[in-house]
Amino acid sequence: MSQQPDKKPETEEDLERKKKKEEKAREKELKKLKALEKAELAKLKAQQGSNAPKKSAKKNVKREADEENPQDFVDPDTPLGEKKRLSSQMAKQYSPAAVEKSWYAWWEKSGFFQADAGSSKPPFVIVLPPPNVTGALHIGHALTSAIQDTMIRWRRMSGYNALWVPGVDHAGIATQVVVEKKLMRERCLTRHDVGREEFVNEVWKWKTEYGGTILRQQRRMGASLDWSRECFTMDEKRSKAVTEAFCRLYEEGLIYRDLRLVNWDCGLRTAISDIEVDYTDIKERTLLKVPGYEKPVEFGVLTSFAYPLEGELGEIVVATTRVETMLGDTAIAIHPHDKRYSHLHGKFAVHPFNGRKLPIICDAILVDPSFGTGAVKITPAHDPNDFEVGKRHNIEFINIFTDDGKINSNGGPEFAGMPRFKAREAVIEALQKKKLYRGAQNNEMRLGLCSRSNDVVEPMIKAQWYVNCSSMAKQALDAAMDDQNRKLEFIPKQYTAEWKRWLENIRDWCISRQLWWGHRIPAWYVTLEDDEMKELGAYNDHWMVARNEEQALAEVKKKFPGKKFEMLQDPDVLDTWFSSGLFPLSVLGWPDDTDDLKAFYPTSVLETGHDILFFWVARMVMLGITLGGDIPFRKVYLHPMIRDAHGRKMSKSLGNVIDPLEVINGVSLEGLHKRLEEGNLDPNELATAKAGQVKDFPNGIAECGADALRFALVSYTAQSDKINLDIQRVVGYRQWCNKLWNAVRFAMSKLPDDYTPPPTINLGTMPFSCGWILSVLNKAISKTVMSLNAYEFSDAATSVYSWWQYQFCDVFIEAIKPYFAGDNPAFSSERSSARDALWVCLESGLRLLHPFMPHVTEELWQRLPGVKSHTRKESIMICEFPSPMESWTNERVEYEMDLVESTVRSFRSLRAELLAKQKNERLPAFAFCQSEEVAEIIRSCELEILTLATLSSLKVLLSGVDEAPAGCAFENVNEHLKVYLKVHGALNAEAEREKIKSKMDEILKQQEKLMKIMNASVYQEKVPTHIQEENATKLAKLLQEFEFFKKESERMEFEAEQRK
C-alpha cells in the first residue's frame, strides 16, 4: 500500500514524541528536549504544507506500541567471560545494573588489561597502593581506583604499554586482630592458647577464605588491573624480596639493633608505628573506656606529689598525668638557673616506695622553671622526653611494665601484677598514706590510642631493629629538591615543602613488631654454652643476620669456631611498612633481574593519599634508590581526603561512612541502619549514627552505578586537600548518564543499521551546525588531553562533560532535528552530512569519555552501526584515544555559533518572562542588528535560531535602515544585537521601560568608571598606547549603547502616548 512521502516520517516523529512522554515522567531534564522537538515538528509541518491526518498517526503509534515486545529491550544472559549479549532494541532508560553487567569479565578474559614486558610501546606503570587483606572497599579506595583507572585507560588508549599492578598487603596488626577475635568468638581461645604455628595457619586459612574481597570489589569499580600480575606481600616472591632487602641493608650497615622507646600496645603486645597512633585531645578530667578495664579510667588530670629529700632537706614537689610511672623514676630535673633549687644541685631525693636515690639533675633543655613547681620527675624508660634526658645525663633506665601492661617486679612488691591503670589508683592511695599526695587539677593533654585496638599507647623501652635513615633520606630529599637534576615531582606542588620537612627531621625507623603474622625477621640469636646471661638478645654481637637458617648456621660456626651453642630465630616480625616500602620493586620481581623489572622500573606515577606521604611514599623512595638504584616513580599525585557533605571526617559513630558498593547498587535507609547494627557501636553511638543517616539519607541512597560514582569522584579532585562528598552529586551524574543514554539513543535512531561511516569528513559541504560541533569537539579533545597530561583530572572531566551536555545534547542534536523531520528533498544533503557528523561525534565522544565511564561507553560504542568495520577493534578500551584534528578547527564558525547561542538565550529569557503557561507557543521575533556583518550571521543561521529558540518567524532588521519593531518585548544580546519578541495582547510597557532604565543606569556607571580612569592626570603619560586605544573603543561602544537605549525609551514613551 502506497503512502504519501511525508506520512511515514510524521509517524516516526509522533512515535518519538510518545516515547519522550513516557520518559518525561522519569527524567525532568528531558522536558526541554521534548518541547523543542514538538515545536520544531509544528514549524516544519507548516513549511511543508503537511496534511497528513493526525488521528491516523496516533493510531499508528498506538498500534506500533502495542506490537512492541518487552523482551526486545532486555539483554539476554551472557555466560561469564563471554562478550556481552545486547538486546535487539536499546532500552528506553539507562539502568546502571543492566549496563555494567558482563563487560568486566569479558575485558579481563580477553586480556585487555595485560601489559607485555617485550612490547616496543613506551611503558606507563602504576602500582595499586596495596589495600589491607582484611579490608572491604571504602570510599578512599574508590577514589584511588577512579583516578588510577582513568589514568591507565587513557594511557592504554594513547599507545602506551600500560601496566597497573594489583596487590594486597598482609596488614600485620589488622589481620592478627581479626583472627584473634575470630578465635575468641568461635573457640574462646587466645593466640597464646593455640601457639604460634597453629595461629599462623589459622591466619592463612582466613586469608584464603576472605582475603580476596577487596580485589573483587575493585572489579566492580571497573578497575582495569593486570590480574595476571596480582601479588600478596607475604607470597613467596615478595617474602624473598623482604628477606633480601633486610640482609642487604644490614650488610651495608643501614640496619642495626638498639634499645629505645617505642609506641607499645599492651593489648596486642607489640610495638606500633606512629601512623597507627590516633591522638585525642582531652581538655579536662575525663573518664574513658579502656580495653581490659571494667571501669572507665581517668585522664586529663595533673597529679602532684612530693619526694622527700635526702639529708632532711625537706621535699620537692613534682606533677604528672601518669602517676603510676613514678615507680620507674630515676631522677628529678630542675633548671640550672632556678634560684629556688640552687641549694639542691648534686643532691638526692629518696623514692618513698623502694628507697631508690634519685639524683637532682640540672637540664635547661627539658625544664621550664615557670611551669608548675619547676621540678620534673624523670622516667627514662617510659617517656620520650625523659628518655633523651636519661641519655644526656647517663641515668638509669628502669622498665616497670610487663608486655601486657601490668606492673613488673621493678615496680615493687606492693604493686607488682597490677594492671597499669589500677596501679594508678593504688599509687595515689599509697602516696596519701605517706602524706606525700599534694592534690590534682584539670590538665589539657593529648592521649595516644592504638588505631587497631583502641588501647592507650604506652611508651616502653625495648630492644628493636632499626633502619638508619639519614643517608637514604638525603638522597630522597635531593631527588625532589635538586633544581639541576630533579627526578621526583609532587602534584600538587605544595607537598614538596612537607616532603622537605619530614625528611630533614627524620628519625631512624623501628621495623620490629612483636606479632606472629608477618615476615619473620631474618636474624638468629646465638646463645653460647659459656654465656653468663642466657636471655634472648643479651649480647648484641650474638645476632646473625642471614637469608636462611642454613646460612645463619654457617656464619655462627665461622664466628664461634668449636663453641657449643643454641640458635633461635628472632620471634618478631617486620613492620608491614617495610614490605610495602619495597612494593614497586617486589611486584616487578626484584631481587631477580626479571623482564618486568627491566621493562617497567622505575614506574611512572604513584597515586595515593597525602596522609601517608612519609609513612609509605618516603620509604618507597628511600628503599627504591638504595636497593633498586633509582627512584621508584617519577611523579607522585596525592589525592584529597574524603569527608562527608558537611566537611566532617567519616566515622562509624556519626553514621556518615559511605560504602562505595551501597552507592553503586543503591541501599534503603533500613539497609544503612542494618549495617550500623552489625557493627560494634554502643547504644548511644548507634542512636547518634542512625539519626545522622536519617538526616543525610532520608530515602536511602539511590542506585548510581560505578560509572557515575567514578565520574563524581574524579570531578571532585579539584578540591584541595579535602573532598566534601555529597551523594546528591553522584546521583546527578547518574541522571546525566540517563540523559546521555537517551540522547545517544535518539541520535542513533537517525543512523540506519547499515550505516557506513565515511573514510573522511568533507567539512566544506557540511551545514553550519555540523562544522561547529566538530570544531568544539576538537577543542574538548585538546583540553581533555592537556588536563590529563597535567594531572588535572577534574578539569579533564569537566571538558568532556561540557562538550557532551552543553554542546552535543543541548545544541547540536536540537539544531539538526529539522533535517530529519520529514523526508524533505531540500534537506537531503544536510541530512547526509548530519548523519556523518552524528556518527563521528558519538564514536569520538564515547572514546573521549571512556577512561572516566568505562561501562556505559563500551555499551553505547558496541551499539554504534559501522563501528567494527571502521576501527577493526573488539572493544572501545583498546581503541585509540581521540586526538585533535587540525582541519576540524574553525574559529569563525565557533564565533558565529557563540552569537547564535547568545541570541537564543535572550529569546528564551524573553519567553520565560512573558509566556508563563504558554511557554511552548511559537512567536514571531526580530533581530535588530547594528552592523551588516551581524545581520549576515543571523540570516545565515536563521534555521538554527528558529529551532533552538522555538520561534514561528525571525525577521532581520538593520540599524540605520529599519526601525525597531513596535509592541514587542526586547532583550539586549550585546552592543551589536538586540532581539524583540512579538507578544499577543498588551505588552507590559512599564516593565519594559524599567528594564531599559536599568540598562541605561548600568551603562552610565561603566561610563563614569572608565572616564575617571581616562581623565586621570598621568593617564596619557603612564598608560600604554594599546590600552588607551582599547579604552577609547570601550567608551565609544558604551556611548553607542546608551544612545540606543535612550531612543528605545523615547520610542516606548511615544507608543504609550499613542495608545492613550
Side-chain angles (χ1 to χ4, degrees):
M1 181 178 169
S2 64
Q3 275 189 320
Q4 294 177 1
D6 58 349
K7 186 173 182 182
K8 185 176 179 182
E10 285 181 27
T11 303
E12 286 180 349
E13 293 303 328
D14 284 340
L15 179 58
E16 189 66 36
R17 197 162 69 242
K18 174 73 173 175
K19 291 174 183 175
K20 285 289 181 287
K21 283 180 180 176
E22 294 169 351
E23 289 158 10
K24 178 184 170 187
R26 301 180 183 93
E27 296 295 332
K28 290 181 180 179
E29 287 185 341
L30 288 177
K31 283 182 177 179
K32 183 185 73 174
L33 188 136
K34 174 179 172 292
L36 290 173
E37 187 178 356
K38 281 176 66 181
E40 187 52 54
L41 275 171
K43 170 182 171 290
L44 281 159
K45 283 177 192 172
Q47 287 176 341
Q48 297 166 16
S50 170
N51 57 6
K54 291 184 180 179
K55 287 185 179 179
S56 173
K58 287 181 181 177
K59 284 179 182 176
N60 285 339
V61 170
K62 188 174 187 305
R63 185 172 66 249
E64 289 179 24
D66 289 343
E67 289 170 2
E68 277 183 1
N69 181 359
Q71 287 305 308
D72 290 344
F73 296 89
V74 179
D75 295 326
D77 288 338
T78 302
L80 186 66
E82 289 189 13
K83 187 175 181 179
K84 186 175 180 181
R85 298 174 184 178
L86 300 175
S87 58
S88 59
Q89 296 293 317
M90 202 170 160
K92 296 180 182 181
Q93 283 192 86
Y94 166 75
S95 163
V99 168
E100 294 176 3
K101 187 179 179 183
S102 301
W103 286 120
Y104 193 93
W106 174 63
W107 289 332
E108 184 179 345
K109 188 177 179 183
S110 300
F112 295 151
F113 304 158
Q114 290 182 22
D116 177 9
S119 172
S120 59
K121 294 178 181 179
F124 182 82
V125 189
I126 308 174
V127 295
L128 178 75
N132 287 354
V133 70
T134 56
L137 197 70
H138 61 60
I139 203 71
H141 293 131
L143 175 63
T144 293
S145 182
I147 295 171
Q148 293 189 12
D149 199 39
T150 296
M151 278 195 282
I152 211 78
R153 285 180 183 270
W154 167 55
R155 292 288 186 176
R156 189 184 289 120
M157 293 174 76
S158 300
Y160 284 81
N161 186 21
L163 171 61
W164 188 15
V165 188
V168 177
D169 193 282
H170 65 277
I173 292 178
T175 309
Q176 181 159 310
V177 167
V178 167
V179 178
E180 282 195 81
K181 286 180 177 176
K182 182 174 180 285
L183 263 181
M184 181 55 66
R185 185 173 62 248
E186 295 176 359
R187 296 165 59 185
C188 295
L189 296 173
T190 67
R191 63 180 162 119
H192 300 284
D193 293 331
V194 300
R196 182 167 191 152
E197 188 176 348
E198 187 182 337
F199 179 77
V200 171
N201 286 336
E202 285 292 321
V203 182
W204 276 109
K205 283 182 197 172
W206 183 92
K207 186 264 173 190
T208 303
E209 189 171 352
Y210 300 107
T213 300
I214 197 161
L215 293 183
R216 287 193 294 273
Q217 292 170 331
Q218 289 283 9
R219 286 174 164 89
R220 185 65 187 88
M221 282 290 295
S224 58
L225 291 146
D226 186 344
W227 298 107
S228 68
R229 290 174 166 88
E230 180 184 341
C231 58
F232 175 53
T233 52
M234 274 184 63
D235 64 27
E236 188 178 344
K237 289 181 180 178
R238 263 44 66 178
S239 296
K240 176 184 176 183
V242 168
T243 298
E244 183 63 28
F246 187 97
C247 292
R248 286 195 195 181
L249 293 172
Y250 179 81
E251 289 159 5
E252 291 176 28
L254 294 172
I255 284 183
Y256 62 95
R257 191 171 172 84
D258 196 9
L259 192 68
R260 295 187 182 184
L261 273 189
V262 296
N263 298 313
W264 188 263
D265 185 305
C266 298
L268 299 175
R269 303 190 204 180
T270 181
I272 59 174
S273 68
D274 290 343
I275 199 173
E276 288 160 329
V277 180
D278 291 336
Y279 289 96
T280 182
D281 292 317
I282 294 174
K283 301 293 183 186
E284 57 187 0
R285 180 181 181 273
T286 305
L287 294 173
L288 296 178
K289 286 186 175 181
V290 176
Y293 292 82
E294 290 180 10
K295 293 180 182 178
V297 177
E298 182 181 73
F299 296 95
V301 173
L302 190 68
T303 301
S304 299
F305 66 93
Y307 270 119
L309 293 167
E310 190 181 48
E312 298 184 356
L313 291 173
E315 65 181 31
I316 189 166
V317 177
V318 295
T320 177
T321 57
R322 300 159 63 219
V323 71
E324 68 279 7
T325 62
M326 64 87 64
L327 300 174
D329 284 357
T330 56
I332 294 169
I334 57 174
H335 194 279
H337 302 142
D338 190 338
K339 292 179 180 177
R340 292 173 296 175
Y341 301 119
S342 57
H343 65 294
L344 296 181
H345 291 193
K347 305 297 183 183
F348 292 86
V350 179
H351 201 289
F353 301 135
N354 54 36
R356 186 163 58 240
K357 291 173 69 175
L358 311 180
I360 311 292
I361 59 174
C362 294
D363 195 293
I365 298 173
L366 175 74
V367 180
D368 176 1
S370 65
F371 182 78
T373 63
V376 181
K377 62 184 281 302
I378 303 299
T379 321
H382 295 291
D383 182 273
N385 293 321
D386 295 1
F387 178 83
E388 297 300 327
V389 173
K391 288 201 295 183
R392 283 197 294 273
H393 296 272
N394 196 28
I395 56 179
E396 192 177 4
F397 289 67
I398 298 176
N399 174 33
I400 61 163
F401 294 123
T402 60
D403 286 353
D404 59 352
K406 293 185 174 71
I407 304 298
N408 64 18
S409 57
N410 292 331
E414 189 178 346
F415 308 102
M418 284 186 183
R420 55 188 166 147
F421 296 125
K422 288 189 176 177
R424 177 175 293 185
E425 297 172 356
V427 167
I428 291 173
E429 192 176 321
L431 287 168
Q432 289 171 334
K433 284 181 181 176
K434 290 182 178 288
K435 302 193 183 320
L436 296 172
Y437 180 74
R438 297 292 179 265
Q441 63 188 69
N442 286 339
N443 183 72
E444 195 170 331
M445 65 180 291
R446 291 185 82 210
L447 186 68
L449 303 174
C450 175
S451 61
R452 305 295 179 187
S453 66
N454 214 37
D455 200 359
V456 177
V457 172
E458 194 67 57
M460 295 263 270
I461 193 162
K462 291 280 181 182
Q464 309 273 274
W465 293 97
Y466 288 86
V467 177
N468 183 333
C469 295
S470 54
S471 61
M472 291 196 293
K474 186 180 185 310
Q475 288 179 300
L477 185 59
D478 290 345
M481 307 303 294
D482 186 349
D483 292 333
Q484 303 301 316
N485 187 27
R486 183 176 282 113
K487 294 182 175 180
L488 186 61
E489 179 187 354
F490 290 95
I491 305 162
K493 288 181 177 162
Q494 71 209 47
Y495 291 107
T496 307
E498 192 170 333
W499 182 257
K500 185 172 185 285
R501 181 175 61 83
W502 271 109
L503 292 179
E504 283 182 341
N505 297 284
I506 199 167
R507 293 185 295 176
D508 287 358
W509 172 18
C510 172
I511 54 173
S512 298
R513 295 292 179 270
Q514 290 65 46
L515 302 170
W516 289 355
W517 173 245
H519 295 102
R520 191 88 174 261
I521 292 175
W524 284 260
Y525 185 74
V526 179
T527 304
L528 300 176
E529 188 179 46
D530 52 2
D531 281 345
E532 285 185 27
M533 295 184 290
K534 304 292 185 181
E535 296 89 358
L536 182 77
Y539 301 98
N540 222 26
D541 64 344
H542 282 25
W543 285 101
M544 295 295 151
V545 171
R547 286 160 180 80
N548 53 53
E549 191 169 359
E550 290 73 27
Q551 188 183 357
L553 197 58
E555 289 294 320
V556 173
K557 289 177 179 177
K558 186 177 173 183
K559 185 171 183 176
F560 302 110
K563 299 272 188 180
K564 288 186 178 180
F565 62 88
E566 290 182 1
M567 192 174 77
L568 181 69
Q569 187 173 0
D570 192 332
D572 291 353
V573 300
L574 285 163
D575 179 11
T576 302
W577 292 106
F578 189 83
S579 53
S580 300
L582 296 169
F583 206 61
L585 282 166
S586 64
V587 296
L588 299 174
W590 186 91
D592 298 333
D593 191 23
T594 62
D595 290 341
D596 272 8
L597 192 66
K598 286 183 276 193
F600 299 121
Y601 189 86
T603 66
S604 307
V605 60
L606 175 78
E607 191 282 333
T608 189
H610 64 74
D611 56 327
I612 52 174
L613 177 63
F614 174 71
F615 295 100
W616 189 43
V617 182
R619 287 163 177 173
M620 281 190 286
V621 173
M622 291 192 295
L623 293 172
I625 293 171
T626 304
L627 299 170
D630 200 352
I631 55 169
F633 26 75
R634 302 298 184 200
K635 296 180 189 293
V636 178
Y637 177 87
L638 298 163
H639 65 237
M641 296 293 101
I642 299 185
R643 301 288 186 259
D644 71 6
H646 312 291
R648 301 174 303 177
K649 189 174 180 180
M650 290 193 181
S651 158
K652 289 177 183 176
S653 59
L654 291 174
N656 63 348
V657 173
I658 294 171
D659 180 342
L661 293 185
E662 290 176 346
V663 181
I664 291 171
N665 301 320
V667 63
S668 65
L669 180 61
E670 292 72 23
L672 290 169
H673 285 350
K674 185 179 178 185
R675 171 161 58 83
L676 287 176
E677 289 161 1
E678 289 170 351
N680 55 1
L681 298 177
D682 67 35
N684 290 335
E685 288 176 326
L686 184 61
T688 302
K690 282 186 173 182
Q693 288 183 338
V694 169
K695 184 179 178 183
D696 287 344
F697 313 112
N699 302 311
I701 298 174
E703 178 195 31
C704 294
D707 284 345
L709 176 60
R710 287 167 59 117
F711 201 86
L713 291 171
V714 169
S715 298
Y716 263 119
T717 54
Q719 297 186 10
S720 56
D721 61 339
K722 293 183 183 70
I723 289 173
N724 293 346
L725 179 63
D726 186 349
I727 291 301
Q728 287 310 306
R729 185 164 171 181
V730 187
V731 173
Y733 284 122
R734 182 252 180 269
Q735 291 168 344
W736 181 66
C737 284
N738 192 68
K739 183 163 188 176
L740 179 75
W741 180 268
N742 282 302
V744 172
R745 181 168 160 259
F746 168 77
M748 285 173 57
S749 73
K750 308 307 172 194
L751 298 171
D753 291 342
D754 59 353
Y755 173 80
T756 303
T760 56
I761 293 289
N762 186 355
L763 291 163
T765 61
M766 280 196 156
F768 164 74
S769 57
C770 296
W772 168 78
I773 193 64
L774 292 177
S775 185
V776 291
L777 171 59
N778 222 27
K779 275 197 173 167
I781 292 168
S782 296
K783 172 67 174 164
T784 303
V785 171
M786 184 175 70
S787 298
L788 287 171
N789 271 315
Y791 295 86
E792 293 168 348
F793 301 109
S794 180
D795 288 352
T798 300
S799 297
V800 180
Y801 178 89
S802 297
W803 179 82
W804 271 104
Q805 176 69 27
Y806 304 121
Q807 294 172 326
F808 182 76
C809 291
D810 286 358
V811 178
F812 180 65
I813 282 183
E814 300 302 319
I816 62 171
K817 281 183 179 177
Y819 305 146
F820 296 98
D823 198 13
N824 189 341
F827 286 147
S828 176
S829 173
E830 287 85 348
R831 219 171 9 255
S832 176
S833 294
R835 282 196 184 104
D836 292 343
L838 257 180
W839 190 92
V840 169
C841 284
L842 291 175
E843 202 276 334
S844 301
L846 289 170
R847 283 187 286 127
L848 190 66
L849 180 58
H850 177 74
F852 305 91
M853 289 184 159
H855 304 93
V856 70
T857 50
E858 180 74 89
E859 177 121 348
L860 292 172
W861 186 86
Q862 293 285 352
R863 286 188 176 277
L864 275 179
V867 74
K868 298 294 168 42
S869 60
H870 183 78
T871 64
R872 304 190 186 282
K873 299 287 187 184
E874 271 292 294
S875 167
I876 191 173
M877 70 167 287
I878 54 172
C879 288
E880 288 182 19
F881 195 75
S883 53
M885 304 286 288
E886 193 175 337
S887 62
W888 288 5
T889 301
N890 191 327
E891 295 292 345
R892 179 66 190 173
V893 165
E894 289 188 43
Y895 165 76
E896 291 177 2
M897 184 56 96
D898 284 346
L899 182 59
V900 168
E901 289 190 80
S902 298
T903 304
V904 169
R905 278 194 295 272
S906 294
F907 276 130
R908 287 177 176 172
S909 174
L910 282 174
R911 293 174 60 84
E913 186 181 317
L914 299 169
L915 289 179
K917 291 181 180 177
Q918 292 81 33
K919 58 185 178 181
N920 292 330
E921 183 181 354
R922 290 176 176 273
L923 297 175
F926 303 86
F928 194 59
C929 307
Q930 304 301 302
S931 71
E932 179 57 44
E933 181 193 2
V934 171
E936 185 53 41
I937 293 171
I938 299 300
R939 286 189 203 102
S940 66
C941 300
E942 181 181 352
L943 179 60
E944 284 80 8
I945 296 171
L946 284 168
T947 304
L948 296 169
T950 324
L951 304 173
S952 62
S953 65
L954 177 65
K955 187 172 183 180
V956 180
L957 306 174
L958 184 60
S959 179
V961 177
D962 303 300
E963 291 294 325
C968 293
F970 114 99
E971 186 71 40
N972 184 45
V973 179
N974 57 37
E975 68 270 21
H976 304 298
L977 178 62
K978 328 296 170 189
V979 294
Y980 295 79
L981 201 59
K982 190 75 174 174
V983 183
H984 298 316
L987 182 69
N988 186 341
E990 186 61 39
E992 290 299 302
R993 283 198 297 273
E994 191 59 40
K995 190 199 300 185
I996 289 172
K997 183 180 181 301
S998 175
K999 298 276 187 187
M1000 291 172 73
D1001 290 344
E1002 187 182 325
I1003 290 170
L1004 278 173
K1005 281 182 187 174
Q1006 292 180 36
Q1007 259 181 258
E1008 287 170 11
K1009 186 178 178 183
L1010 194 55
M1011 289 292 289
K1012 189 177 179 181
I1013 293 169
M1014 294 172 71
N1015 290 333
S1017 57
V1018 294
Y1019 182 76
Q1020 297 294 333
E1021 301 161 16
K1022 301 272 180 152
V1023 177
T1025 306
H1026 73 279
I1027 300 290
Q1028 292 187 37
E1029 289 171 357
E1030 285 175 12
N1031 286 342
T1033 304
K1034 281 181 192 174
L1035 184 60
K1037 285 180 179 179
L1038 288 171
L1039 291 169
Q1040 183 184 351
E1041 284 274 277
F1042 188 81
E1043 193 60 32
F1044 172 82
F1045 287 121
K1046 186 180 175 185
K1047 284 181 180 177
E1048 277 294 289
S1049 181
E1050 290 168 355
R1051 180 180 66 80
M1052 296 202 78
E1053 289 285 351
F1054 177 74
E1055 287 179 3
E1057 287 296 322
Q1058 290 292 102
R1059 285 194 291 270
K1060 285 182 181 178

